[in-house]
Amino acid sequence: MSDDDYCTVSDATRSPNADGPPYAECVLCREPTEYPESYKGITLCPVCEWQEAQRTACSG
């Protein structure tokens, strides 16, 4: 394992993107997400998803 892949998750999966409306609401800001309304689980809009990734990112 190299230092470059210290925080890499090899089996990470993304949830399916919606083909069109209706979109699920973001659980933080209530804006539309890229996920279908029928998606089960936590849905975040692209902005909140990016902010959450920044909060949980590894610090070197």
Side-chain angles (χ1 to χ4, degrees):
M1 177 184 260
S2 71
D3 290 334
D4 293 335
D5 60 4
Y6 179 74
C7 293
T8 304
V9 178
S10 60
D11 63 347
T13 57
R14 296 224 7 128
S15 51
N17 286 349
D19 292 330
Y23 298 107
E25 286 185 346
C26 176
V27 296
L28 298 177
C29 70
R30 313 293 280 177
E31 291 294 319
T33 67
E34 298 175 343
Y35 303 106
E37 198 171 66
S38 61
Y39 179 74
K40 302 294 184 212
I42 297 173
T43 56
L44 298 173
C45 69
V47 172
C48 290
E49 191 170 339
W50 181 83
Q51 290 173 344
E52 185 67 22
Q54 291 297 311
R55 281 193 286 273
T56 59
C58 293
S59 57

